[in-house]
Amino acid sequence: VDDLAVSNFSPNQLDAIMAIPGATRPTVNQLPFSVAYHPQGILDYNSKRDVLVQSWSPLSRVLPRYGGVLDAIGKNYGKSAAQVGLRWIVQNGAAFSTQSKSKTHFEEDLNVFDFALSDEEMAKVTQLAAAGVL
């Protein structure tokens, strides 16, 4: 095994695996990382270990709570609230996985690489969870 993906591993759990001589090192840590939930340091502690954060279920708690703000930002780019939320994840240096039974939604989820949020927009989106904006 050349690569290993783990899910919901803490820094201590990552370090425990990496301390085992000859063990396959994790390269991906699937975590609940989104506009609605992004604990401080979550990206740094994985990055320092050369582990990519992959957000699972990145939109489930986002759109009902923050869709209005994300939609307003998205209008600047002709993008949906979902696309803005996913772009925010990408610009933070993480990856995401989504699921959809709709081909249209799936294609929309992948169409987030042709625009970039400004520093101001990134900061605004980052602050949503802290501010409790509904």
Side-chain angles (χ1 to χ4, degrees):
V1 176
D2 294 326
D3 295 303
L4 177 67
V6 296
S7 185
N8 301 315
F9 270 48
S10 69
N12 290 340
Q13 291 169 317
L14 287 173
D15 291 342
I17 289 178
M18 293 178 177
I20 300 170
T24 301
R25 297 175 56 90
T27 56
V28 175
N29 191 4
Q30 297 175 325
L31 296 168
F33 179 76
S34 70
V35 170
Y37 182 75
H38 48 273
Q40 187 173 8
I42 197 169
L43 295 173
D44 288 340
Y45 83 68
N46 281 275
S47 178
K48 288 178 184 174
R49 293 160 177 80
D50 293 322
V51 175
L52 174 69
V53 169
Q54 181 183 45
S55 172
W56 54 259
S57 194
L59 300 173
S60 65
R61 292 179 284 169
V62 173
L63 298 180
R65 295 180 74 187
Y66 310 116
V69 174
L70 299 178
D71 190 52
I73 293 171
K75 286 182 181 178
N76 296 328
Y77 305 99
K79 299 294 181 179
S80 69
Q83 288 171 308
V84 172
L86 295 174
R87 181 65 202 183
W88 177 88
I89 290 169
V90 169
Q91 277 187 235
N92 271 296
F96 62 84
S97 62
T98 61
Q99 61 183 11
S100 177
K101 293 180 182 178
S102 163
K103 181 181 177 185
T104 303
H105 284 159
F106 186 70
E107 289 171 346
E108 181 181 298
D109 290 349
L110 295 176
N111 192 13
V112 298
F113 299 100
D114 60 347
F115 75 106
L117 301 172
S118 69
D119 290 343
E120 180 181 296
E121 291 165 333
M122 286 293 290
K124 184 175 186 174
V125 173
T126 299
Q127 292 301 313
L128 288 176
V133 174
L134 298 176

